[in-house]
Amino acid sequence: MASAVDTAVRADFVPEVLGRGDYQIIGEIVADGSSVLDLGCGEGELLAWLEAQRNCKARGVEISPTKVQKAVSRGLSVYQSDIDEGLADYPDQTFDYVVLSQTLQETLKPRDVLHEMVRVGKNAIIAFPNFGHWSARFSLLTTGRAPKTKHLPYEWFDTPNVHFVTIPDFEELVRRDGLTVQKSFFLRGDRRITYRPSLLADSAVFLISK
Amino acid sequence: MIVERKSVDLGELQLDSGETIPSATIAYESYGELNEARSNAILIQHAFSGDAHAAGVSKKDGATGWWENMIGPGKAFDTDKYFVFCSNVLGGCSGTTGPGSTNPATGKPYGLGFPFVTVADMIRLQKGLVEHLGIEKLLSVSGGSMGGMQALQWAASYPEMCASVIPIASTHRHSAQQIAFNEVGRQAIMADPDFEDGNYYDGPGPGRGLSVARMIGHITYMSDDSMREKFGRRRRQMSDESSLFEVESYLRHRGGQFVGRFDANSYIAITKAMDTFDLSLGHASLGDVFEPFDGRFLVISFTSDWLYPSYQSQEIVRALRGRVKDVAYVELPSSYGHDAFLVEAGEQTEIVRGFLASTFKKLTPVGAAR
């Protein structure tokens, strides 16, 4: 899979630069020298890594001006925009990969975003928190209140998450809309799991194409 | 940093109108050193009423440059790393040929007889300066307001000659509102009885009209918030026991100051150039204009700028996205209105510094940097 050099790079990358399992997977999926658009790129940690280590043509969209400032200050080509609108101007199949990491549940029209991602990108990489994790199910069942867990820490009235999506929900939408799952990864913390992901994974990463 | 204005006669200049200026002089200042590869040159464009004195302390009168907070050692446009230079626009009145210059055909100032100039003409003259300095490719062209329009024109006119462009609080064409304010300014000047159809160089000149034009300008550069904070309803006692609102006193002061340093005919010529500037004119779309440009863009706008609102910057960004160009864009929060591009140095500094450093790095082969 990965060369010794790659592994060494990745060892730094995961805990120090990114510290997120889904970023590690994205780093593995994205091929050297490819073009990547990161939606909701924050301060551009992933993009900076992809540019430096994967020689990628890296672009990003971010809605927070302070985060865009940080990203541009580190030399990245990031522009301030809403994801729901930020893709409209790009021609079809502009990027090799369009990445949406931990943001799908915050978009107003996730289905439109998904379709825009596979229009603008040859591949879409989507990482999202699994709202069907056992702790959320348990919490709802036992307390009768909107789940508030380690992975879903927000109060219902003060959450950025406007769409609650589980792993089977997402798979169903992809199937229904005629898209193809190229790869899928399921994470418990930063560890990959394969056993009963819809119950045990706290997040999922999908590689989707048209 | 003590600086001195230089000027160079670039000879005949062909204008978009078909006319020519037989002998066009351009005034400029420079800061920092050009490296051996001549790859570290940054051209700064001044706004409507600015001049070539962008940074440092003028040897002539001790005045500090208009972008002193952004240009200098260790600043956003770091003169320890880059060769930064700024020239006065064609049609201006601070050393570059303009309506106040002597028309060689008559031996008198051009006045309103000065040919109609465009932003593209300004850049054509400037290209002569860039070549004169022996620079093949600029690391960046940057400026705010009309300076941003000139930066955009560079990307359109000479795309192969600039590695990056930084238009700040700018637009690719004026809106009706922007034209309207300029027209009020021009009318104020022309309504002054001392305007004499532009041939006022032997007389007192249209100081009152020019002052009113400037007062209007200053209102558009601020915001409701910044004016409330700066002036509120405070009053200032005058010597004759009357009183003026602070804002009245400020505008009068600024208007009067402007008359001392600006030529009314330049006001008319430059605002006309700005109003007629339309980068997409003659093209199917704005994107077409940028198609040959292969460099990077950094577009900056400010939340409270109602004269050059963010939507104008976003139009540029969208056109660039449509052509998959390399573009960064940020809308900075500020309460200073259009003046923000001159005032908000802190946040702009980080952004511009990072953008320039990465552009310079990409431009310079490893090992060749100096």
Side-chain angles (χ1 to χ4, degrees):
Chain A
M1 190 184 71
S3 72
V5 174
D6 259 348
T7 314
V9 167
R10 198 161 299 135
D12 285 348
F13 164 54
V14 177
E16 285 173 30
V17 184
L18 302 170
R20 270 164 57 173
D22 58 319
Y23 276 8
Q24 183 186 6
I25 291 166
I26 294 164
E28 283 176 30
I29 294 172
V30 172
D32 263 358
S34 49
S35 56
V36 182
L37 177 66
D38 186 1
L39 303 177
C41 66
E43 296 180 6
E45 297 90 343
L46 177 65
L47 289 173
W49 187 84
L50 288 171
E51 202 172 71
Q53 305 298 335
R54 288 284 183 276
N55 198 25
C56 283
K57 192 176 126 186
R59 303 282 183 268
V61 183
E62 172 56 49
I63 196 165
S64 148
T66 39
K67 287 179 180 169
V68 176
Q69 279 172 55
K70 291 261 171 60
V72 177
S73 299
R74 66 204 306 171
L76 295 165
S77 297
V78 168
Y79 62 85
Q80 192 179 329
S81 174
D82 191 327
I83 290 170
D84 288 296
E85 292 161 20
L87 292 173
D89 303 293
Y90 283 119
D92 293 353
Q93 308 289 286
T94 296
F95 295 94
D96 295 321
Y97 302 94
V98 179
V99 177
L100 184 67
S101 183
Q102 310 297 337
T103 313
L104 183 69
Q105 74 283 358
E106 297 179 17
T107 61
L108 286 178
K109 295 183 174 177
R111 191 181 187 175
D112 291 354
V113 170
L114 182 63
H115 281 271
E116 273 293 89
M117 287 176 74
V118 289
R119 179 186 71 78
V120 165
K122 295 173 187 128
N123 301 281
I125 301 173
I126 295 142
F128 60 88
N130 173 27
F131 284 76
H133 186 259
W134 69 266
S135 62
R137 299 188 196 190
F138 183 74
S139 163
L140 178 60
L141 186 70
T142 54
T143 67
R145 301 176 61 179
K148 222 181 101 187
T149 69
K150 188 178 149 206
H151 303 290
L152 306 167
Y154 303 104
E155 294 284 358
W156 67 271
F157 51 82
D158 189 25
T159 172
N161 303 325
V162 293
H163 288 100
F164 295 85
V165 56
T166 69
I167 289 168
D169 282 339
F170 185 76
E171 287 172 329
E172 161 66 12
L173 176 65
V174 169
R175 218 175 10 251
R176 186 195 296 177
D177 288 358
L179 304 174
T180 311
V181 174
Q182 301 290 350
K183 285 179 185 168
S184 55
F185 305 84
F186 305 105
L187 291 163
R188 190 175 172 183
D190 281 348
R191 242 189 57 225
R192 284 179 215 183
I193 59 166
T194 49
Y195 177 69
R196 305 200 69 181
S198 85
L199 193 64
L200 300 177
D202 45 57
S203 66
V205 183
F206 282 85
L207 177 66
I208 306 283
S209 66
K210 255 188 183 166
Chain B
M1 187 163 68
I2 305 289
V3 295
E4 204 172 0
R5 195 170 83 187
K6 291 160 268 195
S7 72
V8 51
D9 187 341
L10 294 167
E12 189 178 279
L13 180 71
Q14 186 71 47
L15 301 174
D16 283 346
S17 65
E19 290 183 75
T20 53
I21 293 173
S23 170
T25 297
I26 189 164
Y28 70 100
E29 284 187 8
S30 68
Y31 326 101
E33 299 293 327
L34 195 58
N35 64 6
E36 224 167 291
R38 295 169 188 258
S39 61
N40 68 338
I42 298 172
L43 175 53
I44 300 295
Q45 306 282 15
H46 68 71
F48 162 65
S49 65
D51 56 27
H53 185 38
V57 176
S58 168
K59 192 176 174 185
K60 196 176 112 201
D61 57 11
T64 43
W66 56 266
W67 227 7
E68 173 68 13
N69 53 7
M70 289 287 284
I71 304 167
K75 294 181 185 171
F77 297 97
D78 188 348
T79 52
D80 285 339
K81 286 185 183 158
Y82 309 117
F83 173 73
V84 182
F85 64 114
C86 177
S87 65
N88 184 216
V89 292
L90 179 67
C93 47
S94 305
T96 297
T97 301
S101 308
T102 305
N103 180 352
T106 62
K108 289 182 181 165
Y110 281 100
L112 282 189
F114 189 71
F116 169 72
V117 296
T118 64
V119 172
D121 291 330
M122 295 172 179
I123 299 317
R124 196 172 303 119
L125 177 66
Q126 216 171 33
K127 178 179 176 257
L129 173 64
V130 171
E131 287 167 345
H132 170 81
L133 294 170
I135 298 158
E136 280 177 20
K137 189 167 191 159
L138 294 160
L139 173 62
S140 197
V141 185
S142 176
S145 197
M146 190 185 83
M149 294 154 97
Q150 294 172 80
L152 292 170
Q153 185 68 56
W154 259 98
S157 292
Y158 310 110
E160 70 292 347
M161 283 183 71
C162 36
S164 71
V165 178
I166 311 177
I168 304 172
S170 192
T171 181
H172 76 283
R173 60 178 178 203
H174 265 180
S175 65
Q177 179 174 271
Q178 288 160 322
I179 296 169
F181 281 114
N182 278 347
E183 174 61 6
V184 175
R186 287 187 293 264
Q187 289 300 328
I189 291 167
M190 293 192 276
D192 189 316
D194 291 325
F195 181 61
E196 308 273 4
D197 285 333
N199 299 313
Y200 50 74
Y201 293 101
D202 294 332
R208 285 165 297 172
L210 185 59
S211 169
V212 170
R214 187 57 173 172
M215 289 164 83
I216 294 159
H218 270 290
I219 298 168
T220 66
Y221 305 153
M222 293 183 276
S223 71
D224 185 32
D225 275 350
S226 67
M227 288 175 91
R228 197 161 50 219
E229 191 177 319
K230 192 167 182 167
F231 314 110
R233 292 185 55 80
R234 286 187 297 278
R235 286 172 189 259
R236 169 174 298 228
Q237 258 349 101
M238 305 309 284
S239 49
D240 60 357
E241 310 229 333
S242 66
S243 73
L244 278 183
F245 282 110
E246 285 277 3
V247 66
E248 292 175 305
S249 158
Y250 172 84
L251 290 175
R252 288 183 193 185
H253 172 70
R254 283 308 189 99
Q257 227 180 12
F258 191 62
V259 171
R261 70 174 179 92
F262 214 81
D263 180 15
N265 283 326
S266 281
Y267 192 108
I268 294 169
I270 299 173
T271 55
K272 272 290 178 194
M274 290 166 83
D275 289 348
T276 52
F277 175 71
D278 180 354
L279 211 53
S280 60
L281 194 71
H283 295 269
S285 69
L286 182 59
D288 277 359
V289 179
F290 297 126
E291 189 54 57
F293 182 77
D294 204 25
R296 306 182 75 202
F297 260 88
L298 169 60
V299 182
I300 300 172
S301 68
F302 298 92
T303 50
S304 58
D305 185 349
W306 57 275
L307 186 61
Y308 288 79
S310 289
Y311 79 84
Q312 294 186 321
S313 289
Q314 286 156 8
E315 278 174 7
I316 297 163
V317 174
R318 283 204 302 274
L320 290 163
R321 278 209 308 250
R323 299 303 164 120
V324 200
K325 297 296 174 186
D326 187 338
V327 55
Y329 166 66
V330 60
E331 182 188 36
L332 291 174
S334 170
S335 62
Y336 284 104
H338 188 52
D339 270 338
F341 83 90
L342 293 168
V343 183
E344 299 281 12
E347 284 167 332
Q348 285 188 91
T349 294
E350 290 308 311
I351 297 167
V352 169
R353 181 188 285 144
F355 177 81
L356 288 175
S358 58
T359 306
F360 188 55
K361 200 171 144 196
K362 281 173 190 170
L363 201 68
T364 315
V366 182
R370 237 184 63 93

